[in-house]
Amino acid sequence: MGLLISQLEKIDAIRKQLRIIFWLFCIACTPAYFLSALWMPIPFFIYCFVVFAAITQLISWVFLVKLMLKNILAIQSFFSEQGRWLLLLSGIALTIKLMLQLVSTIPSLSQLAFGFRPIVIGYLHLVLLGVTSIFLLGYILSLEILSVGKGFRKGLFIFISGIIINELFLMIQGVAALAYTGIPFINEILFCIALIMFSGIFIMNVKLCHFKNRFR
């Protein structure tokens, strides 16, 4: 969020709104920690703070998206074309994450969510891979921090495809688990998907090293 705001602040007209949105996220950050503890018998006043944090973060994100859409032409000048779609994917993943954490504040649903391992793993992968990893790659490419070639982009496509497929199968496994239904060979499928993501990362690193050595 800090990296994103640092770029958006280049638009002088929206600095004040950005500062408000940033502080709303900061204020909600600490109580949002207890979203991971909703399976425990926590006091009601803490539960109220948790709901407040989930609502605040989602509303702040909606305001930020609206602000970016109003200034889309200026924002496009800050980010290269090859990195915009990655930032868009990261934004979609963050939207899903914020909506899921708000839904998880419903006691009956939180008990179900925390009771099934595939749902927890899928949520963590959504945050760490979908939001963080994709955003950092998009940020690096958008600002042209690294000079990359076609081979790197092929590896990137494989990696991103692996993330999306991984989330789909984890979602299917999680929904099936709620109905106490097993998915045949799901562990083997997830292992193969992990190999796809690893292959993408491996290709990106090899091509990046080759590209650097070529232009030394």
Side-chain angles (χ1 to χ4, degrees):
M1 189 61 68
L3 290 173
L4 177 62
I5 295 295
S6 68
Q7 294 301 310
L8 298 181
E9 279 187 328
K10 294 177 180 179
I11 306 174
D12 294 332
I14 64 173
R15 282 187 178 181
K16 184 177 180 180
Q17 295 96 313
L18 289 174
R19 193 172 293 112
I20 294 173
I21 291 170
F22 185 81
W23 278 109
L24 284 174
F25 268 103
C26 288
I27 292 170
C29 186
T30 300
Y33 164 80
F34 290 97
L35 283 163
S36 301
L38 288 178
W39 58 274
M40 300 174 60
I42 60 175
F44 180 73
F45 75 93
I46 293 181
Y47 173 75
C48 292
F49 279 117
V50 172
V51 175
F52 163 79
I55 294 174
T56 300
Q57 288 190 349
L58 182 58
I59 291 176
S60 300
W61 174 242
V62 171
F63 284 154
L64 182 58
V65 170
K66 287 184 177 181
L67 203 61
M68 289 189 291
L69 290 175
K70 288 181 180 179
N71 298 271
I72 190 66
L73 294 179
I75 292 173
Q76 286 178 348
S77 65
F78 303 148
F79 302 107
S80 68
E81 186 176 355
Q82 63 181 354
R84 287 177 201 157
W85 68 275
L86 289 176
L87 297 177
L88 177 61
L89 282 177
S90 177
I92 293 172
L94 179 58
T95 303
I96 296 172
K97 183 260 186 188
L98 294 174
M99 292 176 66
L100 287 177
Q101 74 176 25
L102 179 59
V103 172
S104 72
T105 60
I106 301 174
S108 58
L109 292 179
S110 66
Q111 293 294 329
L112 285 174
F114 288 109
F116 292 92
R117 181 170 167 268
I119 296 178
V120 176
I121 294 176
Y123 181 81
L124 291 175
H125 283 197
L126 177 68
V127 176
L128 299 175
L129 294 175
V131 179
T132 306
S133 296
I134 293 179
F135 174 82
L136 290 176
L137 287 168
Y139 185 84
I140 289 170
L141 292 179
S142 291
L143 300 185
E144 298 179 346
I145 297 174
L146 296 176
S147 298
V148 298
K150 291 183 179 179
F152 180 91
R153 285 191 282 271
K154 288 180 181 178
L156 178 63
F157 177 79
I158 294 172
F159 177 61
I160 300 299
S161 299
I163 292 176
I164 295 173
I165 297 171
N166 181 63
E167 284 299 316
L168 287 174
F169 273 92
L170 284 173
M171 180 184 69
I172 292 171
Q173 186 186 21
V175 173
L178 293 175
Y180 297 97
T181 303
I183 304 296
F185 306 106
I186 187 63
N187 292 329
E188 291 79 5
I189 293 172
L190 291 174
F191 176 72
C192 291
I193 296 172
L195 290 179
I196 293 174
M197 290 189 287
F198 175 79
S199 299
I201 296 173
F202 182 77
I203 292 172
M204 283 191 289
N205 279 279
V206 169
K207 294 299 180 180
L208 186 60
C209 292
H210 175 73
F211 193 84
K212 284 183 176 180
N213 292 331
R214 182 181 175 184
F215 289 95
R216 279 183 177 175

